[in-house]
Amino acid sequence: MSGASALVRSLEELGVDVIFGIPGGAILPAYDPLFDSEKVRHILVRHEQGAGHAATGYAQATGRVGVCMATSGPGATNLVTPIADAYMDSVAMVAITGQVAKSSIGTDAFQEADIQGITLPITKHNYLVQSGEELPRILAEAFHLAGTGRPGPVLVDIPKDVLQAQTMFSWPPTLDLPGYHPTLHPHGKQIREAARMIATAKRPVLYVGGGVLKAGASASLRQLAELTGLPVVTTLMARGAFPDSHPQHLGMPGMHGTVSAVYALQRADLIVALGARFDDRVTGKLDSFAPNAAIVHADIDPAEIGKNRAADVPIVGDARYVIDELIVTVGAEHAAGHKADLTDWWSQVGDLRDRYPLGWEEPPDGTLAPQQVIQRLGEMVGPDAIYVAGVGQHQMWAAQFVKYENPATWLNSGGLGTMGYAVPAAMGAKAGAPDKTVWAIDGDGCFQMTNQELATCALEGIPIKVAVINNGNLGMVRQWQTLFYDERYSNTDLGTHKHRIPDFVKLAEALGCVGLRCETVADLDNTIAAAMAVTDQPVVIDFVVGKDAMVWPMVAAGTGNDEIMFARGVRPRFDEDDL
C-alpha cells in the first residue's frame, strides 16, 4: 500500500476515532485514504490553531491521545502555539504534519519549514519520517510516548514522497524506545519517610497539581485526605481533582487563590506536593514561599523535583501509585499510634476560610457583575458538565466561582496562558464526550481570536455553548493598568461595548449558531435556561458586563504570598497565632 494508506491504517489500529485538521499540498496524499476510512472521523477546522486546541480539549476530556493534522509550512507553524500549550500543561497529543519531499528539504521549497527543529523545545519527542516502512512503528511510538509517563505532545513530520511511495504494511510493530522507562512505582523508603512526616506534622498541607488528574488518582486522593485529615489545595490545573464541597478543601492557591489556601501553604510546616511543579503563579516570590515548610515532592517527571524548590523527600512515581502506597503506609503509622493532632491547625485555616470567602462588589452603575454571571451559570448547569475557559479575568472567575466536584470537568490553558483556547478546546471536548454538556467561558478578547471554529461546530453537529464575558476590554491587562500603570488604559478597549463591533449575537447567527444577549440580572436565569434548552446547535450568549470588575484575591507579580490583597486596598487581617 501507499505510505498514506499505511498512515491511515496505523491510526485505525491505534484506535483513533477523531482527527482535527486541514488538508494542503504536502499532506494531501493522506487525505485520499482518509476519505474511505470507516473508523476515523476527520473534523475540518477553520484554522490549524483550532485543530491543535481541539485535540487538546479532546485529550483532556477523554483521557485519550488527541490528534491533529496539518500540511507543511504555514499549516505546521500554525500548530506551534497549541503544541506549546499542550507541552506546558502535559497534554497527550500527536500532531501529524506533511513535509516537502525529501529531495527538497533544505532548499527553501514552497511551503517548507523545519517544523521538527521549530518544535524541538516544545515537544516530548518528534520525528521526521524517512520511509513508509517505519510509519507504523513511529506512529505507535508517538502515541505511546504522548500518553505514558508525563503526557505531552509528539510531532510526526512526513515528507510528501514518503506518503506517495509504495510500502509494505505490517502490524503490530515493535517499538524501539530503549531509553524510555517512566518510573511508575515510588521507592518504598521515600514513601515511609513521607508517611512518618505526615503523621508528625503540626501544620501539613496536601498541595495537589494537575498530575493527579493525569494519573486518574482523584478517588485515591480523597481517600488519602480523609485518612490524614490534611487541608487540601488544588491548583488551577487540578480543579476537580478534589471536590469543592469537601470540608477539607481550602480552594485554589496562588496569584488569584483563596486567602485560606495561600496562607495554609505559607504557614505550613509540611507541604506534600502531588503532581505539582511549584509554578511561579503558586509560589509568588520563590525565596519567600513557605519558609518553614519541609517538602515532600512526588512527580512522575524527575526533572520537576528540585527544579524550583528543594525537596526534603523526593518521590519519583505516578501519582496514583504514590497516593495508594501513602494510604497503606500512613495507615500503618496510625495503627502504631502515630497520628498528628491537627485541631489547632484546622482552627486557624478554617477561620481564614470563614473570614475571607470569595465574593464580589456589585457594580455601582447597575451593570452585570461577571462573577455573578459565572457563579449562576455553574449553579444552573451543574457539576457534571465540562467547563472550558479562555485566558484572563474570566478564566480566574471560572476557576473561582464554578464549583468543581468531578475530574475532567475543568479545561483551561494554565501554563502557556493561550488566549483563544476556549472555543476550539470546547469543540474537541464535545467531540470526545458527546453526551456531556460543554460550556466555553470566554472573554470578548479571547473569543475574537478563534470564534471561527463555531462554523465547524455548526456544520459538524457539535453543539457547544459559549458564554462570552463581554467587558469591552482586555480585562486582565486593564486590571494591571488600573493597579500598576496609574489607570493609563493603553490599547485595551476592544470596542465591543462602545461600538458593538462585532455584534456577538449577529456574529453567532452568521456562524450558524443561536445568538443570545444578557445585560441585566433580571434576565440572567432566563437567558441561561434558554441556552440550555437548545441541544441541536451551538449557542453563544453575549453577557454584557461592567468593565471595572477585578479578580480578587491577588498576589501581585514579583511579590511574596504574604502580600496577598483580599480586595483593592484591603490586606487580610491575621492574628499572631496565624503568623
Side-chain angles (χ1 to χ4, degrees):
M1 63 175 66
S2 68
S5 294
L7 167 64
V8 174
R9 179 70 180 275
S10 298
L11 294 172
E12 291 175 339
E13 294 288 349
L14 288 161
V16 174
D17 57 354
V18 178
I19 295 175
F20 304 90
I22 301 181
I27 196 65
L28 193 57
Y31 274 80
D32 188 60
L34 190 60
F35 185 74
D36 296 323
S37 177
E38 296 180 357
K39 296 179 179 179
V40 181
R41 175 190 183 188
H42 182 275
I43 293 177
L44 177 61
V45 297
R46 296 315 184 253
H47 191 287
E48 289 89 356
Q49 183 181 356
H53 290 317
T56 296
Y58 173 96
Q60 290 176 307
T62 64
R64 304 177 65 199
V65 177
V67 185
C68 55
M69 192 152 69
T71 196
S72 64
T77 58
N78 280 344
L79 287 177
V80 168
T81 294
I83 289 171
D85 183 270
Y87 185 73
M88 289 286 280
D89 286 345
S90 304
V91 178
M93 182 174 85
V94 169
I96 298 167
T97 53
Q99 183 54 276
V100 299
K102 287 192 295 180
S103 60
S104 297
I105 292 175
T107 69
D108 293 333
F110 177 67
Q111 291 192 333
E112 181 189 358
D114 178 12
I115 195 63
Q116 186 187 27
I118 289 167
T119 60
L120 191 63
I122 54 169
T123 49
K124 187 174 177 181
H125 193 60
N126 62 25
Y127 295 89
L128 175 61
V129 180
Q130 299 296 326
S131 69
E133 284 79 9
E134 61 185 19
L135 265 170
R137 174 185 59 80
I138 285 176
L139 286 163
E141 288 177 3
F143 276 75
H144 179 68
L145 288 167
T148 58
R150 180 179 184 170
V154 177
L155 178 109
V156 179
D157 195 32
I158 313 173
K160 186 173 184 177
D161 55 330
V162 172
L163 291 170
Q164 292 172 320
Q166 293 295 298
T167 186
M168 294 300 295
F169 176 84
S170 63
W171 195 272
T174 300
L175 304 191
D176 184 22
L177 298 168
Y180 182 69
H181 301 289
T183 300
L184 300 181
H185 294 275
H187 194 285
K189 181 179 179 181
Q190 275 102 330
I191 291 290
R192 290 191 295 274
E193 181 62 14
R196 184 194 64 78
M197 294 172 74
I198 290 170
T200 57
K202 292 186 169 76
R203 299 185 305 280
V205 179
L206 287 176
Y207 162 36
V208 177
V212 170
L213 289 173
K214 301 283 188 275
S218 295
S220 296
L221 171 65
R222 181 167 183 163
Q223 189 178 348
L224 177 65
E226 292 176 348
L227 173 67
T228 60
L230 269 62
V232 179
V233 302
T234 53
T235 67
L236 180 68
M237 293 306 299
R239 303 292 286 118
F242 193 74
D244 276 349
S245 61
H246 197 285
Q248 287 173 241
H249 197 197
L250 298 182
M252 182 175 71
M255 175 176 276
H256 294 296
T258 64
V259 171
S260 56
V262 169
Y263 267 83
L265 289 176
Q266 283 300 97
R267 303 303 171 224
D269 65 357
L270 174 66
I271 293 175
V272 181
L274 301 169
R277 57 188 178 91
F278 291 88
D279 176 68
D280 62 281
R281 285 314 197 238
V282 169
T283 65
K285 190 178 179 183
L286 189 59
D287 59 12
S288 67
F289 173 71
N292 300 312
I295 304 295
V296 173
H297 190 180
D299 202 286
I300 198 166
D301 184 356
E304 286 297 342
I305 297 175
K307 184 179 80 174
N308 293 327
R309 174 69 179 258
D312 297 278
V313 180
I315 303 176
V316 179
D318 181 272
R320 183 162 57 90
Y321 294 112
V322 170
I323 294 169
D324 286 346
E325 294 188 30
L326 278 174
I327 289 168
V328 173
T329 315
V330 169
E333 289 283 340
H334 290 178
H338 307 142
K339 185 173 184 180
D341 181 0
L342 303 181
T343 306
D344 289 346
W345 180 226
W346 267 111
S347 177
Q348 291 178 42
V349 295
D351 176 60
L352 292 173
R353 181 168 58 185
D354 293 341
R355 276 196 284 148
Y356 297 102
L358 293 170
W360 64 87
E361 295 180 356
E362 293 296 333
D365 58 0
T367 54
L368 271 173
Q371 302 95 325
Q372 183 178 12
V373 170
I374 292 170
Q375 178 171 291
R376 191 65 187 131
L377 180 69
E379 290 169 348
M380 292 183 66
V381 174
D384 293 327
I386 296 174
Y387 299 88
V388 187
V391 170
Q393 287 182 314
H394 64 279
Q395 174 192 24
M396 295 298 107
W397 289 321
Q400 291 175 333
F401 291 103
V402 176
K403 299 303 179 188
Y404 300 99
E405 300 293 315
N406 305 304
T409 56
W410 163 247
L411 316 182
N412 82 122
S413 171
L416 196 64
T418 307
M419 291 180 68
Y421 167 90
V423 169
M427 175 176 68
K430 183 68 173 175
D435 296 333
K436 288 273 193 178
T437 299
V438 179
W439 276 88
I441 299 174
D442 220 356
D444 47 330
C446 284
F447 184 64
Q448 291 186 77
M449 293 190 174
T450 52
N451 61 43
Q452 67 270 15
E453 298 308 337
L454 286 171
T456 308
C457 292
L459 290 168
E460 293 282 348
I462 305 174
I464 66 170
K465 303 181 193 303
V466 184
V468 181
I469 308 302
N470 178 6
N471 64 3
N473 285 266
L474 297 170
M476 189 63 87
V477 183
R478 179 185 167 87
Q479 175 167 332
W480 282 48
Q481 288 173 333
T482 300
L483 296 174
F484 310 121
Y485 292 88
D486 299 322
E487 301 183 10
R488 289 164 54 83
Y489 298 118
S490 174
N491 291 285
T492 45
D493 185 340
L494 291 167
T496 53
H497 270 200
K498 196 183 306 179
H499 307 290
R500 199 162 276 178
I501 299 174
D503 183 318
F504 289 137
V505 172
K506 292 179 180 178
L507 178 63
E509 292 170 349
L511 291 169
C513 308
V514 174
L516 305 169
R517 179 172 287 118
C518 179
E519 299 184 76
T520 65
V521 174
D523 290 336
L524 184 56
D525 282 16
N526 288 339
T527 308
I528 295 171
M532 291 170 64
V534 178
T535 59
D536 58 348
Q537 283 179 273
V539 183
V540 176
I541 306 177
D542 179 14
F543 287 106
V544 182
V545 302
K547 63 184 179 181
D548 292 318
M550 294 196 193
V551 183
W552 299 109
M554 181 178 182
V555 178
T559 67
N561 285 347
D562 287 333
E563 299 175 64
I564 187 171
M565 301 293 292
F566 182 61
R568 190 174 185 182
V570 179
R571 290 280 301 276
R573 289 195 345 270
F574 297 96
D575 299 329
E576 287 301 315
D577 288 344
D578 294 330
L579 303 175

